[in-house]
């Protein structure tokens, strides 16, 4: 492994750390940033970068993470007894919450689910339970996204090191 390749791997991992931080911080992409960094590394370093099979796995993990992240709050609300109105409210609240930083991300699904349930005629207790479910779902979704990011970074690093160390043997 050349010095340039070691520096390239270090820079890629540094950028991927921003993706990891984006798992819990708003306005920072998470898995897309990790995937795009891995892709840029592959395109720049060619055969010394991650293999195409690993790149395909990283892309699939990115897509899975995005879908699960957007559905986590709605799923949590539904598991805690929300009607379809509460589920829609959790999604709308999550989107609106994006504009209000971390507190908005946590409170958005809760407020959205509660408001939509109240508008739908449900009691405050049922509406609040739906809001708690939406918040729990969002937190679990963030935990899942962190796990996905760490897995992607580990897979990328292991593959790049394996491909480069195998060439030296």
């Amino acid at each position: 492994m050349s010095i340039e390749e070691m520096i390239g791997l270090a820079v890629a991992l540094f950028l991927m750390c921003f993706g990891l931080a984006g798992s819990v911080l708003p306005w920072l992409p998470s898995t897309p940033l990790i995937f795009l960094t891995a892709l840029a590394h592959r395109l720049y370093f060619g055969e010394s970068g991650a293999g195409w099979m690993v790149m395909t796995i990283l892309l699939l993990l990115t897509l899975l993470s995005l879908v699960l992240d957007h559905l986590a709050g709605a799923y949590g609300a539904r598991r805690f007894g929300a009607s379809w109105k509460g589920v829609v409210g959790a999604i709308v609240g999550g989107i609106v919450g994006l504009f209000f930083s971390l507190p908005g991300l946590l409170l958005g699904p809760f407020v959205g689910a509660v408001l939509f349930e109240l508008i739908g005629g449900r009691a405050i207790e049922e509406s609040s339970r739906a809001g708690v479910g939406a918040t729990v779902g969002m937190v679990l979704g963030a935990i899942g996204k962190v796990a996905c990011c760490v897995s992607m970074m580990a897979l990328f690093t292991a593959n790049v090191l394996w491909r480069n160390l195998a060439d030296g043997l």
Side-chain angles (χ1 to χ4, degrees), residues 4 6 11 15 58 60-61 66 68 74 81 94-95 112 123 125 137 141 145 152 157 164:
E4 180 184 12
M6 285 188 265
V11 168
L15 291 173
L58 294 179
L60 292 174
L61 286 171
L66 293 173
L68 292 178
I95 292 169
E125 296 85 19
K145 198 189 292 187
M152 291 173 71
T157 304
N164 284 287

Side-chain angles (χ1 to χ4, degrees), residues 76-168:
R78 190 75 183 134
R79 292 286 295 171
F80 277 64
S83 68
W84 69 269
K85 293 173 187 169
V87 171
V88 170
I91 293 170
V92 170
I95 292 169
V96 171
L98 287 172
F99 298 102
F100 297 99
S101 191
L102 189 58
L105 286 175
L106 293 174
L107 291 176
F110 176 82
V111 172
V114 170
L115 286 177
F116 276 56
E117 289 288 352
L118 288 172
I119 291 169
R122 294 187 85 179
I124 187 71
E125 296 85 19
E126 293 173 310
S127 300
S128 297
R129 194 170 28 249
V132 168
T135 304
V136 167
M138 292 300 285
V139 169
L140 292 177
I143 291 169
K145 198 189 292 187
V146 167
C148 191
C149 287
V150 169
S151 299
M152 291 173 71
M153 291 171 68
L155 179 62
F156 168 79
T157 304
N159 188 249
V160 169
L161 290 175
W162 177 261
R163 291 168 62 91
N164 284 287
L165 294 176
D167 285 342

Side-chain angles (χ1 to χ4, degrees), residues 8-83:
L9 179 59
V11 168
L13 290 173
F14 177 75
L15 291 173
M16 287 179 178
C17 285
F18 285 104
L20 179 60
S23 297
V24 292
L25 298 175
W27 301 111
L28 275 178
S30 58
T31 52
L33 180 58
I34 291 173
F35 174 74
L36 291 174
T37 301
L39 181 62
H41 185 274
R42 168 63 191 201
L43 294 175
Y44 184 83
F45 288 103
E47 292 299 316
S48 294
W52 289 115
M53 179 63 78
V54 168
M55 293 304 300
T56 302
I57 293 169
L58 294 179
L59 176 61
L60 292 174
L61 286 171
T62 299
L63 296 174
L64 177 68
S65 171
L66 293 173
V67 168
L68 292 178
D69 185 46
H70 284 81
L71 297 179
Y75 178 75
R78 190 75 183 134
R79 292 286 295 171
F80 277 64
S83 68

